[in-house]
């Protein structure tokens, strides 16, 4: 990962670093992928995408964002994202599914975060650190990985689990899952908020590569339903 400094000099001009390490890393990767996509596409639209990708690469390499500078904003620290950042720059997703199992069965399975990669396609691995903290590894563009530590911030047995990423996360994120008794089984309600590595541009890059968050969460919940109702990960993966 790129090292963070307070300022860097490019072309003889010193510019303050106002983009955090993880955001620089993802900007460079996303920018490279977007530039290649634009070059392959060709035409005016491709040229625009390639130029946008070049801007992201510059942002990642230099650690300086002109838009951040104009707004007096900086992400060049290791503090967790503040609530207002999710409101201003975040992506919000809400999805639900009804599963023919009891709330306590579903809660017990989800509470063990190491189970999440079994039905969440974007996750590679989750390891428990202690009763509240865990380490997450997710897939990123160009075959890379994104990593962060998360902590449980609200835990209501058989009813609710809420978590958020800690400081230094590649992608700041927070989520919750609620288990509500229904006429047949349990309604599982998931809320996910995350801040794209390059703001709204990062969300656009993700959509280009088929990773629209709403669709992703919806498909993850369908796999969760199949895993819980069939008891077979292989069967859920091929259903």
């Amino acid at each position: 990962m790129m090292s963070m400094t307070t300022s860097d000099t490019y072309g003889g001009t010193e510019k303050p670093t106002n983009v955090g390490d993880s955001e620089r890393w993802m900007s460079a990767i996303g920018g490279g992928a977007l530039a290649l996509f634009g070059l392959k596409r060709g035409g005016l639209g491709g040229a625009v995408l390639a130029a946008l990708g070049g801007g992201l690469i510059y942002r990642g390499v230099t650690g300086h964002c002109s838009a951040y500078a104009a707004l007096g904003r900086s992400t060049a620290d290791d503090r967790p994202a503040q609530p207002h950042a999710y409101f201003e720059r975040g992506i919000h997703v809400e999805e639900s599914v009804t599963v023919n199992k009891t709330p306590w069965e579903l809660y017990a399975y989800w509470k063990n975060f190491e189970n999440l990669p079994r039905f969440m396609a974007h996750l590679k691995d989750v390891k428990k650190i202690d009763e509240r903290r865990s380490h997450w590894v997710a897939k990123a563009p160009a075959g890379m990985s994104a990593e962060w530590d998360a902590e449980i911030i609200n835990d209501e047995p058989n009813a609710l689990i809420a978590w958020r990423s800690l400081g230094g996360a590649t992608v700041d994120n927070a989520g919750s899952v609620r288990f509500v008794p229904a006429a047949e089984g349990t309604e599982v309600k998931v809320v996910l908020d995350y801040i794209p590595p390059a703001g709204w541009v990062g969300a656009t890059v993700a959509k280009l590569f088929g990773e629209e968050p709403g669709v992703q969460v919806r498909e993850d919940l369908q796999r969760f339903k199949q895993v819980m109702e069939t008891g077979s990960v292989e069967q859920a993966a091929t259903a």
Side-chain angles (χ1 to χ4, degrees), residues 67-150:
Y68 279 7
L71 294 171
R73 175 182 296 160
S74 174
T75 60
D77 59 49
D78 288 329
R79 293 176 297 175
Q82 299 300 305
H84 68 81
Y86 287 100
F87 178 76
E88 295 171 356
R89 299 185 287 124
I91 301 295
H92 180 78
V93 178
E94 293 188 34
E95 296 290 342
S96 64
V97 68
T98 299
V99 183
N100 190 23
K101 290 290 182 178
T102 63
W104 46 92
E105 289 174 294
L106 302 179
Y107 166 88
Y109 189 87
W110 199 299
K111 177 65 181 296
N112 181 3
F113 281 176
E114 294 186 0
N115 285 328
L116 300 187
R118 301 182 70 187
F119 60 88
M120 290 186 172
H122 68 291
L123 286 180
K124 287 185 177 182
D125 187 53
V126 179
K127 292 295 185 185
K128 178 179 177 180
I129 298 174
D130 55 36
E131 290 305 310
R132 301 196 68 84
R133 295 179 301 148
S134 51
H135 182 74
W136 301 47
V137 182
K139 299 174 185 176
M144 303 295 286
S145 297
E147 301 188 30
W148 64 88
D149 288 342

Side-chain angles (χ1 to χ4, degrees), residues 19 22-24 26-27 56 59 68 73 75 81 85-93 169-174 192-207 211 213:
V19 181
S22 59
E23 196 172 341
R24 292 175 67 174
M26 290 299 288
S27 291
L56 286 173
R59 185 178 190 270
Y68 279 7
R73 175 182 296 160
T75 60
Y86 287 100
F87 178 76
E88 295 171 356
R89 299 185 287 124
I91 301 295
H92 180 78
V93 178
T170 305
V171 180
D172 289 303
N173 64 91
L192 176 65
D193 291 279
Y194 82 99
I195 301 176
W200 295 102
V201 173
T204 302
V205 173
K207 290 178 182 179
E211 298 174 359

Side-chain angles (χ1 to χ4, degrees), residues 36-76:
L36 287 174
F37 181 84
L39 291 173
K40 289 181 180 180
R41 177 176 175 178
L44 179 60
V48 171
L49 291 175
L52 182 59
L56 286 173
I57 293 172
Y58 175 84
R59 185 178 190 270
V61 172
T62 64
H64 178 79
C65 176
S66 298
Y68 279 7
L71 294 171
R73 175 182 296 160
S74 174
T75 60

